[in-house]
Amino acid sequence: MRINQDTVLQGNRATLVPYTPAHVPRYHEWMQSEELQRLTASEPLSLEQEYEMQRSWRDDADKCTFIVLDTERWAGQAHGEEDCMVGDVNLFLTDTEDPTLGEIEIMIAEPSYRGRGFGQEATLMMMSYGVTDLGITKFEAKIGQENEASICMFKKLHFKEVAVNSVFQEVTLRLDVSDEEKRWLLDQTSHVEKKTYSEVNLWTGSTQCSYFP
């Protein structure tokens, strides 16, 4: 989704940046993990296919993707973004009859970052962005039944279990964003700073922005 290609959302633990070609090699490395393939219901891709996927996710109007960085490492400017990557977060707007429904996914790929609040903060930031910038009023999350940590996290974020698919061994959770829920969500993300990716890269001396056509 091109709407977020120049957007940075900086939180206390996690920073969200658009998914660029510079991130693909590290992402490709992650997705060779059988554990992550199982948890994300993904098939392994070649590096070339991964670059094609990145381009499609950037261009498709129904996919919004951010790479999750470690804010402390990234803000220190001593590391390139690929060295600060911990996962990704996605919104899929695939219901053509209801553009206000977004399916949200979060992956903390680096094992050492799990259970430390990165996934929760990144998810809240994506939800807030979805509500304020994309007009989302309903969220769904489809999670493998074995992924108890992720199911527990989404329930903490007020999602309710609405369906279980025994064939795919998948749980569907849902959150309808009422006015009260919106106020709660915006309060949870009031600390988040929204910046432009090109300005951030200019300030840090990075050349990441040159990857955009």
Side-chain angles (χ1 to χ4, degrees):
M1 184 176 284
R2 287 184 175 270
I3 190 173
N4 76 313
Q5 71 172 6
D6 197 34
T7 300
V8 172
L9 303 174
Q10 184 175 345
N12 293 330
R13 293 184 177 86
T15 291
L16 308 188
V17 299
Y19 185 25
T20 78
H23 302 126
V24 171
R26 182 71 176 277
Y27 191 90
H28 177 67
E29 182 181 326
W30 284 341
M31 297 314 297
Q32 303 312 299
S33 161
E34 292 184 1
E35 178 195 19
L36 290 179
Q37 291 171 23
R38 185 179 70 256
L39 290 175
T40 60
S42 302
E43 296 292 331
L45 301 178
S46 68
L47 183 59
E48 182 179 354
Q49 289 172 323
E50 209 76 75
Y51 277 109
E52 291 176 0
M53 184 71 72
Q54 181 273 327
R55 286 192 292 271
S56 74
W57 284 22
R58 178 196 62 191
D59 296 337
D60 288 356
D62 61 358
K63 299 179 181 69
C64 183
T65 298
F66 285 100
I67 292 294
V68 182
L69 307 180
D70 176 340
T71 294
E72 185 176 1
R73 284 175 62 85
W74 175 76
Q77 303 178 47
H79 303 275
E81 283 185 6
E82 64 276 11
D83 295 324
C84 304
M85 293 170 60
V86 302
D88 74 330
V89 61
N90 308 289
L91 263 181
F92 301 105
L93 285 64
T94 54
D95 189 335
T96 56
E97 296 182 358
D98 188 358
T100 68
L101 173 63
E103 181 180 336
I104 190 165
E105 290 184 352
I106 177 70
M107 176 181 75
I108 300 300
E110 293 291 337
S112 63
Y113 282 88
R114 296 173 190 165
R116 295 170 53 189
F118 283 85
Q120 180 166 312
E121 185 179 46
T123 301
L124 284 167
M125 288 195 288
M126 176 60 104
M127 290 169 60
S128 180
Y129 181 78
V131 168
T132 58
D133 290 62
L134 305 179
I136 303 300
T137 61
K138 297 178 285 291
F139 291 97
E140 282 189 352
K142 296 180 180 179
I143 307 168
Q145 286 179 294
E146 66 179 82
N147 194 347
E148 296 179 2
S150 188
I151 293 171
C152 181
M153 185 201 75
F154 275 99
K155 287 183 176 180
K156 286 182 179 178
L157 301 183
H158 302 177
F159 281 68
K160 305 295 184 184
E161 186 175 314
V162 295
V164 177
N165 188 319
S166 57
V167 175
F168 294 103
Q169 297 186 339
E170 188 177 73
V171 175
T172 299
L173 299 103
R174 185 180 176 101
L175 173 65
D176 294 328
V177 185
S178 62
D179 289 343
E180 182 180 358
E181 288 288 0
K182 183 177 180 179
R183 286 192 297 270
W184 176 82
L185 178 60
L186 295 180
D187 181 64
Q188 294 297 306
T189 54
S190 61
H191 64 285
V192 176
E193 295 182 55
K194 186 176 182 180
K195 305 177 180 180
T196 61
Y197 196 45
S198 52
E199 287 179 352
V200 166
N201 286 322
L202 181 64
W203 175 64
T204 60
S206 170
T207 57
Q208 297 269 2
C209 55
S210 65
Y211 285 99
F212 292 119

